[in-house]
């Protein structure tokens, strides 16, 4: 553990100590450190409240003031069971003890009256915890499995100093105001409905505007870079994913296969068991196995997966990846080196199975649309293609005001033999990734061992306005799939050659990216992305005809405009436009109607004076075309 993790984890022991003082009947599960703090999962019939947290926190302060020492003791397994019984924590700790493999040390840590089964490590004395806070309570299934009992997870954090804790708490407050789940609901940007399914995003009309504008923007940049748009279906045959290796190796992260109608009938008649069905769905023919193994140059499909043809079960998979479909488009034509690179782009929707406890608004979902593309190129073209991907990311992030980002270059682990492809090609691809990352002029780290087995990669991590980091998408070089699908092109030497593939979805998915953008902008989208760009606010019914005419002219000018026809006072209308984060409001009173003008209020800059409708339309259209970020009024110089 790092010193910070050690501090935080030790604080979770302090939490457990206090917990048992306040609620002696508590059964403890586990209390690891997290990226930003720690938690402890507890089983307690009483439902913990905010007042309880205050009480527990006060008791934790006492434990810290008692300056208890942490001591470690290693024991044999039989004695460990006895200790767990003696401290009355059998319900979960016996199971946790069983997780420790034979031959590994079993240790207990004691501080004051509290003893816990734990591998460590810890700080030496409780007083080393200078600043901590309990933050929240959430439900968490034992071992993350929804079939198990739901426990109460107490979250907290600890820092080496009071100042760091205060800064972190402030960031949490800011984050709460920006939470995309809350803003998404308030601003009606997306919906998740249990009847449709958890983790499946329904884009409302307002949210769809944002997504469509972003897609238009990204697509236009892709066209400039020579990409071609394709569309592919949401499912594909199991055999396709057996060829790519996505099935059954990643089946835990996928929706279960859709088995063929006819096969269902046959299986039912044969009285086939579930285990047998699974085996038959995952099986392949001897010919298929031989073909894939030969192309891969090693045994990627073992003999145990081979069954006679009449035992095989046909089916489909909701696509977990777009690559195999794009590969089949590439393979549908013969290619010469002169056609390369071929760049196929699709906002392609894929489905992955995430545990329900992992789901989170738009940022962790079960169905999402990647800003995906696959580049098929010669080996020599790899560096240029990576550069192209990075320049696209740079343009898009700069336009969104996210200039603070870094990249991680995932390289192979020099000591491992698990990697596919020629080491010389790997060297070239890795140096291409490294060189491309350098040209970005942003911080980058090289991470040995973080490459996929089939090629090196580049990940993007952006920092938002309140300092939180978000992992977006990747650019990944791949020597493996061209092999498995036996792709080729004819080189200048008139001989067939294997192309290299580059997978890239630099923004990850539209769901995740828009979720991040909602928080980044705190819902205050720049006018080019705002679902409603301008709202007309008539002061009274007397000017309603002119107000309607203005709204119609705005719409005719291709602006997303509406008219507030509510009967309430101007102040209320202005407030509503503010709350709904509409970038511009046009106030219309008798004077404006008379002069056929509008009084402009900018959400970012306040009052912008009176102008003609045409002048306003021209101004806003220019702002939208430039994809300008909301500009605050420059602070006036002090007299
Ligand atoms: Zn511990
Ligand atoms: Zn791919």
């Amino acid at each position: 553990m790092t010193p910070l993790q050690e501090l935080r984890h030790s604080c979770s022991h302090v939490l457990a100590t206090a917990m048992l003082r306040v609620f002696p009947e508590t059964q403890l599960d586990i209390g690891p450190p997290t990226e930003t703090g720690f938690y402890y999962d507890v089983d307690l019939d009483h439902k913990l409240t905010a007042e309880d947290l205050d009480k527990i926190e006060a008791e934790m302060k006492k434990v810290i003031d008692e300056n208890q020492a942490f001591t470690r003791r290693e024991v044999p397994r039989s004695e460990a069971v006895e200790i767990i019984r003696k401290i009355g924590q059998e319900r979960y700790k016996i199971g946790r003890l069983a997780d420790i493999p034979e031959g590994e040390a079993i240790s207990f840590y004691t501080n004051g009256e509290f003893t816990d089964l734990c591998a460590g490590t810890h700080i030496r004395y409780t007083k080393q915890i200078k600043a901590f806070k309990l933050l929240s309570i959430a439900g968490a299934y034992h071992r993350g499995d929804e079939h198990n009992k739901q426990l109460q997870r107490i979250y907290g954090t600890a820092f080496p100093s009071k100042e760091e804790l205060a800064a972190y708490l402030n960031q949490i407050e800011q984050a709460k105001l920006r939470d995309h789940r809350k803003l998404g609901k308030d601003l009606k940007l997306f919906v998740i409905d249990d009847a449709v399914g958890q983790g499946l995003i329904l884009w409302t009309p307002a949210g769809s505007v944002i997504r469509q504008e972003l897609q238009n923007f990204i697509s236009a940049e892709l066209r400039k870079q020579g990409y071609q748009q394709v569309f592919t279906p949401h499912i594909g045959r199991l055999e396709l994913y057996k060829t790519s290796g996505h099935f059954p190796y990643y089946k835990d992260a996928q929706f279960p296969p859709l088995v063929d109608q006819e096969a269902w009938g046959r299986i039912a008649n044969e009285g086939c068991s579930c285990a047998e069905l699974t085996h038959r769905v995952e099986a392949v023919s001897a010919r298929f196995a031989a073909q894939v193994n030969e192309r891969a140059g090693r045994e990627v499909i073992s003999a145990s997966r081979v069954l006679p043809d009449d035992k095989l079960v046909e089916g489909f998979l909701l696509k977990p990846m777009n690559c195999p479909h794009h590969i089949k488009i590439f393979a549908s034509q013969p290619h010469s080196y002169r056609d390369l690179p071929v760049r196929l782009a699709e906002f392609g929707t894929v489905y992955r199975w995430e545990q329900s406890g992992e789901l989170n608004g738009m940022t962790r979902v079960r169905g999402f649309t990647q800003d995906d593309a696959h580049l098929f190129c010669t080996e020599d073209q790899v560096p240029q293609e990576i550069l192209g991907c990075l320049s696209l990311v740079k343009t898009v992030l700069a336009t969104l005001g996210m200039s603070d980002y870094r990249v991680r270059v995932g390289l192979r682990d020099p000591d491992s033999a698990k990697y596919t492809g020629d080491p010389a090609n790997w060297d070239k691809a890795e140096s291409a990734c490294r060189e491309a990352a350098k040209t970005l002029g942003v911080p980058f780290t090289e991470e040995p061992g973080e490459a996929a087995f089939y090629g090196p990669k580049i990940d993007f991590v952006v920092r938002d306005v309140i300092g939180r980091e978000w992992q977006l998408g990747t650019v990944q070089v791949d020597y493996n799939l061209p092999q498995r699908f036996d792709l080729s092109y004819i080189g200048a030497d008139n001989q067939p050659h294997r192309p290299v593939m580059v997978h890239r979805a630099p923004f990850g998915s539209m769901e995740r990216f828009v979720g991040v953008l909602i928080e980044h902008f705190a819902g205050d989208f720049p006018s080019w992305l705002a679902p409603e760009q301008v709202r007309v606010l008539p002061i009274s019914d007397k000017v309603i005809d002119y107000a309607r005419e203005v709204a119609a002219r705005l719409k005719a000018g291709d602006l997303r405009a509406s008219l507030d026809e509510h009967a309430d006072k101007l102040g209320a209308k202005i407030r509503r436009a503010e709350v709904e984060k509409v970038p511009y409001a046009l106030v219309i009173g008798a004077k404006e109607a008379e002069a056929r003008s509008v009084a402009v209020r900018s959400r970012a800059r306040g009052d912008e004076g009176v102008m003609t409708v045409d002048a306003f339309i021209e101004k806003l259209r220019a702002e939208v075309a430039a994809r300008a970020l909301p500009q605050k009024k420059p602070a006036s110089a002090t007299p």
Side-chain angles (χ1 to χ4, degrees):
M1 283 194 207
T2 65
L4 185 59
Q5 284 172 331
E6 210 170 63
L7 178 79
R8 288 169 170 172
H9 171 63
S10 302
C11 200
S12 83
H13 281 241
V14 171
L15 164 59
T17 312
M19 199 58 209
L20 289 173
R21 286 185 186 176
V22 183
F23 298 101
E25 69 277 28
T26 307
Q27 284 291 312
L28 299 164
D29 189 4
I30 48 164
T34 65
E35 245 169 72
T36 53
F38 61 86
Y39 67 79
Y40 217 116
D41 283 349
V42 302
D43 189 356
L44 183 68
D45 288 336
H46 167 71
K47 198 168 172 342
L48 291 168
T49 62
E51 290 75 56
D52 293 330
L53 285 196
D54 291 343
K55 234 185 275 171
I56 298 164
E57 218 176 68
E59 200 59 47
M60 287 172 73
K61 290 210 171 88
K62 286 187 204 157
V63 174
I64 291 171
D65 285 340
E66 288 163 22
N67 203 19
Q68 302 173 348
F70 283 93
T71 54
R72 176 188 169 96
R73 182 152 78 101
E74 276 186 30
V75 297
R77 196 170 290 265
S78 55
E79 196 180 326
V81 175
E82 247 167 68
I83 295 175
I84 292 171
R85 292 232 167 88
K86 214 172 86 203
I87 57 177
Q89 291 292 338
E90 296 97 315
R91 202 175 298 163
Y92 301 101
K93 296 292 180 187
I94 295 282
R96 296 291 176 186
L97 173 66
D99 293 345
I100 303 173
E102 282 306 328
E104 234 169 69
I106 296 170
S107 58
F108 284 86
Y109 277 83
T110 299
N111 60 284
E113 77 275 21
F114 178 65
T115 293
D116 203 356
L117 173 70
C118 183
T121 49
H122 298 88
I123 53 177
R124 293 179 56 210
Y125 295 98
T126 54
K127 254 195 180 164
Q128 284 169 262
I129 300 169
K130 300 289 180 207
F132 79 96
K133 177 118 189 87
L134 294 184
L135 298 169
S136 60
I137 312 158
Y141 294 105
H142 173 54
R143 295 186 186 277
D145 182 342
E146 55 196 303
H147 302 103
N148 288 341
K149 184 167 185 186
Q150 194 176 44
L151 309 179
Q152 302 188 67
R153 177 168 293 177
I154 307 173
Y155 283 103
T157 193
F159 283 90
S161 73
K162 294 218 158 46
E163 293 71 29
E164 285 162 280
L165 175 65
Y168 176 71
L169 294 178
N170 180 45
Q171 193 189 62
I172 298 186
E173 274 314 303
Q174 289 286 318
K176 265 188 205 151
L177 297 175
R178 290 168 179 268
D179 189 330
H180 77 279
R181 293 165 303 183
K182 180 174 188 304
L183 284 173
K185 196 168 172 200
D186 294 350
L187 301 174
K188 302 185 179 70
L189 300 177
F190 71 94
V191 180
I192 297 168
D193 188 312
D194 203 31
V196 174
Q198 287 303 312
L200 298 170
I201 302 296
L202 301 173
W203 294 79
T204 57
S208 299
V209 168
I210 297 169
R211 170 168 164 175
Q212 190 63 58
E213 289 294 339
L214 265 178
Q215 287 190 191
N216 291 348
F217 171 44
I218 295 171
S219 298
E221 292 300 317
L222 291 179
R223 278 194 297 277
K224 286 183 208 165
Q225 284 199 13
Y227 283 73
Q228 295 167 297
Q229 168 79 55
V230 296
F231 295 101
T232 64
H234 287 228
I235 64 173
R237 281 181 54 208
L238 282 175
E239 189 167 295
L240 183 71
Y241 301 104
K242 288 174 184 170
T243 307
S244 68
H246 291 124
F247 183 80
Y249 300 113
Y250 299 103
K251 67 176 175 179
D252 290 346
Q254 294 163 359
F255 280 76
L258 309 156
V259 172
D260 208 88
Q261 286 279 19
E262 207 186 308
W264 264 133
R266 212 158 19 100
I267 294 157
N269 287 336
E270 290 175 24
C272 173
S273 74
C274 271
E276 206 180 327
L277 171 61
T278 305
H279 181 54
R280 287 174 63 178
V281 167
E282 293 173 8
V284 296
S285 70
R287 193 180 52 85
F288 181 92
Q291 203 177 45
V292 173
N293 288 341
E294 191 201 314
R295 285 180 199 157
R298 63 201 166 98
E299 193 190 65
V300 289
I301 298 183
S302 67
S304 64
R305 272 184 62 206
V306 173
L307 281 181
D309 286 6
D310 65 336
K311 290 284 179 202
L312 298 177
V313 175
E314 273 287 334
F316 295 86
L317 202 60
L318 273 175
K319 72 177 172 191
M321 296 277 211
N322 299 303
C323 346
H325 289 70
H326 293 182
I327 286 172
K328 286 298 181 187
I329 294 176
F330 177 82
S332 67
Q333 304 272 348
H335 292 279
S336 133
Y337 68 98
R338 289 193 193 86
D339 317 331
L340 301 186
V342 169
R343 307 180 184 93
L344 303 179
E346 177 180 18
F347 289 99
T349 305
V350 297
Y351 299 88
R352 309 261 174 93
W353 187 258
E354 295 271 5
Q355 292 294 331
S356 57
E358 302 288 317
L359 297 173
N360 182 21
M362 292 183 114
T363 54
R364 281 297 279 276
V365 291
R366 285 179 175 161
F368 53 92
T369 303
Q370 294 180 309
D371 56 314
D372 210 358
H374 293 94
L375 316 175
F376 301 85
C377 61
T378 69
E379 260 176 44
D380 295 341
Q381 290 168 334
V382 170
Q384 201 51 41
E385 291 310 301
I386 294 175
L387 272 179
C389 295
L390 297 196
S391 100
L392 171 81
V393 173
K394 201 169 179 165
T395 306
V396 173
L397 292 184
T399 304
L400 293 164
M402 300 177 119
S403 45
D404 192 358
Y405 62 100
R406 61 190 176 89
V407 297
R408 291 194 300 232
V409 182
L411 306 172
R412 68 194 191 281
D413 174 355
D415 299 327
S416 170
K418 68 172 182 175
Y419 302 98
T420 313
D422 177 4
N425 291 342
W426 267 88
D427 287 341
K428 272 192 268 177
E430 287 185 346
S431 85
C433 287
R434 197 181 287 123
E435 291 308 311
K438 273 185 201 160
T439 64
L440 271 177
V442 301
F444 77 97
T445 47
E446 294 183 23
E447 317 211 339
E450 287 301 306
F453 74 90
Y454 52 78
K457 65 173 183 177
I458 296 178
D459 287 330
F460 301 93
V461 181
V462 302
R463 190 188 286 271
D464 69 12
V465 279
I466 60 168
R468 290 170 307 169
E469 289 202 320
W470 299 86
Q471 149 107 55
L472 297 180
T474 64
V475 175
Q476 195 140 28
V477 183
D478 182 358
Y479 299 106
N480 178 49
L481 286 183
Q483 225 173 31
R484 291 188 73 144
F485 282 95
D486 198 19
L487 299 182
S488 67
Y489 68 91
I490 300 298
D493 55 1
N494 248 335
Q495 296 300 310
H497 293 266
R498 193 75 80 200
V500 181
M501 258 177 95
V502 177
H503 309 250
R504 37 118 300 180
F507 307 110
S509 75
M510 298 316 287
E511 283 75 8
R512 182 170 174 79
F513 197 38
V514 168
V516 171
L517 286 181
I518 293 171
E519 303 206 0
H520 172 68
F521 288 120
D524 263 319
F525 283 94
S527 54
W528 71 279
L529 286 174
E532 183 180 347
Q533 295 166 319
V534 48
R535 187 176 294 179
V536 181
L537 312 180
I539 289 180
S540 77
D541 263 357
K542 290 187 200 113
V543 294
I544 196 74
D545 288 338
Y546 175 62
R548 283 183 186 146
E549 183 195 323
V550 170
R553 280 170 68 189
L554 293 167
K555 285 180 191 161
D558 200 20
L559 293 169
R560 295 185 289 271
S562 76
L563 172 65
D564 188 339
E565 291 205 54
H566 289 88
D568 43 12
K569 293 223 158 54
L570 179 65
K573 291 182 182 181
I574 290 177
R575 256 194 312 284
R576 194 155 46 234
E578 287 269 315
V579 170
E580 293 172 15
K581 305 195 185 250
V582 183
Y584 288 97
L586 303 182
V587 177
I588 293 178
K591 258 196 314 195
E592 287 79 18
E594 176 88 8
R596 303 193 60 75
S597 61
V598 290
V600 180
R601 284 183 63 93
S602 150
R603 187 173 150 71
R605 299 176 299 276
D607 195 352
E608 302 218 291
V610 174
M611 59 182 86
T612 67
V613 181
D614 285 337
F616 174 77
I617 290 176
E618 198 179 317
K619 168 187 147 72
L620 181 51
R621 282 181 61 111
E623 186 180 303
V624 169
R627 299 201 172 86
L629 291 166
Q631 295 288 333
K632 293 255 185 295
K633 205 183 231 165
S636 53
T638 39

